[in-house]
């Protein structure tokens, strides 16, 4: 039986770091395992301009533990007022690596997102021209669409029309949760990839709703039925270069999760690598873990894979059930999940 696993150091292609005290509390948990992460721009107010992203990057760098080699890969939050020239300049200087599309109102801090997709067509044109990827939160916000159907509706109503209008635009469908999304990504021969989170490989909607409501499992897009989870596991463990890790680690204090109207988001940074090793071993696919965590993402983003490595050993991981922040504790995703792998 394999006792140790050595992989190219992983990257996280979708991460919420927040700002201020919360950022200082959560950042070390990512920086200790991951070399790079695509940093989500949904702060309040959002990271909209190149100047915003530059200032946010400086704050992240200042919060890094001494000696950390972690590199934040910045993104801009697309609004109907986004200036395509500012986007192009931020890309040309090496500051930003993607632009993030949130349909207005789809998730946490998305009020400034896009309502009318025609208004941003010129930004998509510029991005296609310069090779800057678009990351999408793929859910429609139409209140008449059932929340479990919002990803599939987004593909049909928004994603496919955008891709047909801009065939050269490089797109990443983030945190996909359905077999519909897996099939859609596989149907594309170029310019389409998807990230998959750790938690969507582990939970289905029963985990959230059966036997009492479990706010710590609530995130957006919400976990779907079991057949979808199995499709995600098959895609992630297949080695297919179009699928890679984006944890969507999204810290909220317990006080903000455990409310009559609690926040969406799972905090997976501390135990993601241990959980993924477990999932890939269960699927008989430990040999595909490195592709998912460390190779497919950089290849799609046009970056080199990391030169250094991380090693996991077969022993129960040690991580806290919750981390302390000045705003209160943040519970780690599924802290009681039995796990057999820990990062050395
Ligand atoms: C994210 C957050 O908290 O910022 N929440 C989540 O459930 N994933 C926003 C997002 O990515 O949808
Ligand atoms: Zn997210």
């Amino acid at each position: 039986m394999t006792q140790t696993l050595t992989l190219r150091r992983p990257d996280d292609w979708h991460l919420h770091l927040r700002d201020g005290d919360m950022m200082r509390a959560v950042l070390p948990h990512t920086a200790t395992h991951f070399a790079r992460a695509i940093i989500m721009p949904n702060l309040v107010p959002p990271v909209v301009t190149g100047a915003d992203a530059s200032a946010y990057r400086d704050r992240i760098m200042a919060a890094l533990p001494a000696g950390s080699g972690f590199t934040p890969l910045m993104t801009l939050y697309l609004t109907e007022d986004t200036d395509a020239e500012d986007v192009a300049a931020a890309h040309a200087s090496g500051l930003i690596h993607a632009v993030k599309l949130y349909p207005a109102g789809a998730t946490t801090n998305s009020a400034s997102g896009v309502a009318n997709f025609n208004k941003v067509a010129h930004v998509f044109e510029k991005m296609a021209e310069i090779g800057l990827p678009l990351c999408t939160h793929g859910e429609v916000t139409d209140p008449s669409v059932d929340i479990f159907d919002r990803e599939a509706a987004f593909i049909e109503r928004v994603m496919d029309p955008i891709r047909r209008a801009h065939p050269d635009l490089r797109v990443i469908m983030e945190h996909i949760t359905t077999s519909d999304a897996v099939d859609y990504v596989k149907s594309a021969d170029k310019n389409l990839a998807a990230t998959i989170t750790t938690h969507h490989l582990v939970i289905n909607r029963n985990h959230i709703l059966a036997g009492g409501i479990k706010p710590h499992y609530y995130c957006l897009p919400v976990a779907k039925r079991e057949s979808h989870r199995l499709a995600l596991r098959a895609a992630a463990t297949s080695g297919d270069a179009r699928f890679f890790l984006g944890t969507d680690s999204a810290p909220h204090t317990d006080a903000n999760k455990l409310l009559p109207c609690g926040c969406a988001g799972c905090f997976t940074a501390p135990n993601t690598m241990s959980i993924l090793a477990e999932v890939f071993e269960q699927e008989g696919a430990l040999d595909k873990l490195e592709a998912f965590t460390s190779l497919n993402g950089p290849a799609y983003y046009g970056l080199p894979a990391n030169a250094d490595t991380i090693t996991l050993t077969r022993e129960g991981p040690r991580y806290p059930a919750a981390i302390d922040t000045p705003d209160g504790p943040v519970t780690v995703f599924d802290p009681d999940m039995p796990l057999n792998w820990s990062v050395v």
Side-chain angles (χ1 to χ4, degrees), residues 147-169:
I147 190 167
F148 292 103
D149 297 332
R150 288 182 182 185
E151 182 171 284
F154 179 87
I155 294 170
E156 196 182 308
R157 294 189 195 174
V158 181
M159 189 79 277
D160 202 54
I162 290 175
R163 291 189 55 250
R164 283 178 195 279
H166 307 278
D168 295 329
L169 182 63

Side-chain angles (χ1 to χ4, degrees), residues 52-334:
D52 296 339
S54 176
Y56 186 29
R57 182 174 65 177
D58 290 347
R59 297 198 296 280
I60 296 168
M61 297 307 290
L64 275 174
S68 170
F70 178 76
T71 304
L73 306 175
M74 308 310 292
T75 63
L76 295 184
Y77 183 118
L78 184 64
T79 75
E80 291 179 6
D81 300 321
T82 291
D83 173 1
E85 292 310 318
D86 180 59
V87 170
H91 174 249
S93 71
L95 173 64
I96 63 158
H97 292 266
V99 169
K100 177 68 186 265
L101 168 66
Y102 288 101
T107 186
T108 311
N109 305 336
S110 62
S112 320
V114 179
N116 180 349
F117 298 95
N118 294 325
K119 288 199 177 156
V120 292
H122 66 288
V123 183
F124 294 154
E125 264 164 45
K126 177 58 84 176
M127 291 168 64
E129 183 191 315
I130 64 180
L132 177 62
L134 178 72
C135 293
T136 62
H137 182 107
E139 291 188 287
V140 294
T141 53
D142 179 347
S144 71
V145 177
D146 188 281
I147 190 167
F148 292 103
D149 297 332
R150 288 182 182 185
E151 182 171 284
F154 179 87
I155 294 170
E156 196 182 308
R157 294 189 195 174
V158 181
M159 189 79 277
D160 202 54
I162 290 175
R163 291 189 55 250
R164 283 178 195 279
H166 307 278
D168 295 329
L169 182 63
R170 295 177 64 68
V171 174
I172 299 124
M173 293 180 66
E174 301 204 286
H175 45 50
I176 60 169
T177 59
T178 57
S179 58
D180 310 68
V182 169
D183 292 344
Y184 183 67
V185 170
K186 284 194 194 159
S187 75
D189 56 357
K190 64 174 176 117
N191 293 341
L192 187 60
T195 60
I196 301 177
T197 75
T198 310
H199 47 284
H200 288 117
L201 296 173
V202 175
I203 60 168
N204 63 34
R205 63 195 194 181
N206 281 7
H207 291 85
I208 311 170
L209 296 170
I213 191 158
K214 319 283 191 328
H216 288 301
Y217 288 145
Y218 174 61
C219 68
L220 289 170
V222 70
K224 309 296 191 296
R225 64 170 64 239
E226 177 67 356
S227 56
H228 294 294
R229 184 185 75 101
L230 295 178
L232 298 174
R233 279 171 84 107
T237 59
S238 67
D240 186 324
R242 293 170 290 193
F243 299 100
F244 44 89
L245 174 65
T247 65
D248 196 13
S249 182
H252 294 278
T253 61
D254 289 357
N256 284 334
K257 292 284 294 176
L258 308 176
L259 284 175
C261 182
C263 292
C266 297
F267 178 52
T268 52
N271 54 1
T272 272
M273 289 308 297
S274 294
I275 295 175
L276 290 175
E278 195 72 30
V279 165
F280 277 64
E281 181 158 56
Q282 287 166 4
E283 298 293 326
L286 275 178
D287 60 325
K288 302 290 197 318
L289 180 59
E290 184 180 48
F292 183 67
T293 61
S294 317
L295 302 178
N296 296 347
Y300 192 76
Y301 272 89
L303 295 168
N306 296 307
D308 67 332
T309 58
I310 91 172
T311 297
L312 293 98
T313 59
R314 189 182 288 284
E315 59 184 278
R318 281 182 295 276
Y319 56 86
I323 66 159
D324 287 322
T325 80
D327 302 328
V330 174
T331 292
V332 174
F333 173 72
D334 211 350

